Amino acid sequence: MDESSNSEWNWDFYEELVDDVEENKNIIQCISCGKCVGDCPASKVSSFNVRKVIGKVLRGDKSVLKDSDIWYCYLCERCKRVCPKDNINIPLLIINLRNESFKKGYGPKYNDLRKYVEMSERFLKTGVVLDEPLGKKLPAERIDELNEICNFARIKYVFKASKSTTKSKKRKDKS
Amino acid sequence: MNTTNLALNLTEIEEMYPENPIDFFRDKKLCLFKACLEKYFPGVRFGIEDFLTDLELNVMTCTNQSCCSGTFFQRNLITRAQFGAINERNLSEINKIADILLFSCNGCYNSLIRGREFLNNPDVRKKTQDILNQLKNKNNSDNYPGKYEIVDDLKLKLVHDLDFFYLIKNSVVNALKYDLKDMKVAVHYGCHYLNLSRDKDSIDEYLRPKTKLEELITLFGGNPVDYQERESCCGWGASQVVIHPKEALKITFNKLKSAENVGADFMVTPCPTCLYTLSKPEYREKMQKWYGEKLEIPTIHLNELIAILRGCEEERCITLRRKTPRIEEIFEIITQ
């Protein structure tokens, strides 16, 4: 049983998250009923527990960013649907926490995202995630639009990181 | 902005056209949103495209549409504003050429609905419009032909293929050449159809169980079976099957096993991403290795199933590119 006294509440972390994603302000309405945990696919196969995550955030416990738990969320939105409160958007909170985790360098390394390197590359070069899509390809001039939209996004960093990795690998192979 | 405005109002159409809801679509231009995974399951696209063409409806795809990018947003590779801008670019392009946008994929459908929901946040909306303005500023260059604005009251309305087929179910049944011969069918809706947040707008919608797939299966002459894991995830979980395969495939295994336990002949889903996870031979092999049991239940997309029942060529429904366990057996049983 996860018990806390009032003196343990610390709003700094919560306020940081709300500053970044305003919708997170609603997590304060959580009544700890546990419906989200009971219906969560990730909770059945890992130690991911939405109620604990929210509890940590409301106590200002940033260890939640280091925990591997948040990376087990299925983003299936079941918790959002079964939550008796109206506007608690747990999947959005998890995405926000993962973002903070990335920023602090705790998240998965780009190597762990290697499947996404290929997908990112294809999206930025062709506008689709898989090669040889069904039907006509996106015209070249439209692909520039997508690259402009994705400026400064991680999708470009993983793509660029993969290019430098490939180059250094080629150099190694040559030598 | 009311995001439900984006979804096609099915109740209104049923009231306007109680006899033949298909008549609502006669003078409309219908666009099929291109889902990336249709590459592996072309019958998902052909199944609905051929049917709408046979009904003499005006059906098209949009060349300027990009992927929905939901997968990148879910993995923190793009921001909400960038996700919003990709969505708005697609909506804007399709709005120019069509009245109705149909989705064969829960993920794409959820992406476009959710992308719009994010715009309710004034900060995200401003950032999204700023990104679109960047494209507008570069508009003189040949590389940037598009001018995009966030249009609150889009003419374009969105509908999931399952909702569409259910709405015009009489027309679907009339077009069938075969029936399901009382076969036992397990239905899998998929999380991003079951858990739509707009269903929370009314208590009736929230509490009402979703039964459209079961009702369609019954109309097709099949026997929908209840099973314990009916509402559980397929295991994809925004790429969990790639990142944590052992845990994710345990969910897939439990789902398929639960359907096999009640004697289902096959499983039907309205989502190609779920279909990919539930049917990929490599995943079936891993499940056998890790959980000690070979699961053989075939899985099929609703659009493919309708194509088979309409008597389409195998290449236009389940396709020869796909060899999943016992899928051809089901094809033979239906069409014999």
Side-chain angles (χ1 to χ4, degrees), chain B residues 106-130:
Chain B
N106 291 359
C108 301
Y109 185 58
N110 192 41
S111 280
L112 273 86
I113 297 269
R114 186 165 54 171
R116 270 270 151 155
E117 272 178 7
F118 287 159
L119 300 183
N120 290 333
N121 176 320
D123 184 43
V124 176
R125 186 184 172 95
K126 184 185 174 302
K127 284 178 180 163
T128 303
Q129 189 57 61
D130 285 348

Side-chain angles (χ1 to χ4, degrees), chain B residues 38-272:
Chain B
E38 288 174 346
K39 170 198 162 161
Y40 296 121
F41 311 109
V44 172
R45 172 93 58 82
F46 300 151
I48 188 158
E49 191 177 3
D50 293 353
F51 178 52
L52 297 182
T53 307
D54 282 0
L55 287 172
E56 296 181 337
L57 295 176
N58 189 347
V59 58
M60 66 189 80
T61 53
C62 174
T63 313
N64 291 333
Q65 179 219 309
S66 74
C67 265
C68 72
S69 76
T71 191
F72 300 122
F73 172 69
Q74 289 180 323
R75 289 251 67 87
N76 298 76
L77 295 175
I78 52 174
T79 64
R80 277 207 285 178
Q82 286 162 331
F83 177 59
I86 291 167
N87 278 326
E88 291 305 312
R89 201 199 73 85
N90 278 334
L91 286 172
S92 193
E93 287 291 337
I94 299 167
N95 191 50
K96 283 184 211 160
I97 60 165
D99 306 301
I100 310 284
L101 183 58
L102 292 113
F103 292 84
S104 68
C105 175
N106 291 359
C108 301
Y109 185 58
N110 192 41
S111 280
L112 273 86
I113 297 269
R114 186 165 54 171
R116 270 270 151 155
E117 272 178 7
F118 287 159
L119 300 183
N120 290 333
N121 176 320
D123 184 43
V124 176
R125 186 184 172 95
K126 184 185 174 302
K127 284 178 180 163
T128 303
Q129 189 57 61
D130 285 348
I131 294 170
L132 296 175
N133 289 345
Q134 287 291 325
L135 302 183
K136 217 187 313 179
N137 293 341
K138 295 196 169 188
N139 187 240
N140 289 333
S141 134
D142 288 343
N143 289 347
Y144 292 90
K147 281 186 180 180
Y148 305 105
E149 294 284 347
I150 298 169
V151 184
D152 283 336
D153 289 313
L154 278 176
K155 166 198 69 166
L156 188 73
K157 296 293 172 204
L158 278 52
V159 63
H160 192 289
D161 283 0
L162 171 56
D163 293 328
F164 175 74
F165 281 131
Y166 183 80
L167 178 71
I168 62 155
K169 50 190 173 297
N170 291 339
S171 305
V172 178
V173 172
N174 288 339
L176 302 186
K177 187 175 169 187
Y178 304 108
D179 67 52
L180 283 173
K181 302 181 171 64
D182 210 27
M183 268 194 281
K184 287 183 177 177
V185 184
V187 303
H188 168 74
Y189 285 89
C191 299
H192 293 152
Y193 182 89
L194 276 179
N195 304 330
L196 290 173
S197 52
R198 70 183 161 95
D199 290 344
K200 283 185 87 170
D201 290 347
S202 84
I203 191 76
D204 284 348
E205 285 297 324
Y206 177 60
L207 293 174
R208 187 183 302 151
K210 292 199 159 112
T211 57
K212 286 183 182 178
L213 263 178
E214 279 94 339
E215 289 179 54
L216 284 177
I217 292 301
T218 307
L219 282 171
F220 299 164
N223 178 14
V225 290
D226 196 11
Y227 64 111
Q228 191 173 330
E229 300 292 327
R230 174 184 176 272
E231 295 209 351
S232 74
C233 174
C234 67
W236 177 257
S239 303
Q240 285 295 328
V241 80
V242 177
I243 302 159
H244 302 118
K246 269 200 170 168
E247 292 83 354
L249 287 177
K250 181 72 185 165
I251 292 173
T252 315
F253 178 85
N254 288 344
K255 170 137 217 142
L256 294 168
K257 177 75 184 149
S258 163
E260 280 197 0
N261 282 347
V262 295
D265 291 299
F266 66 93
M267 185 179 285
V268 67
T269 175
C271 176

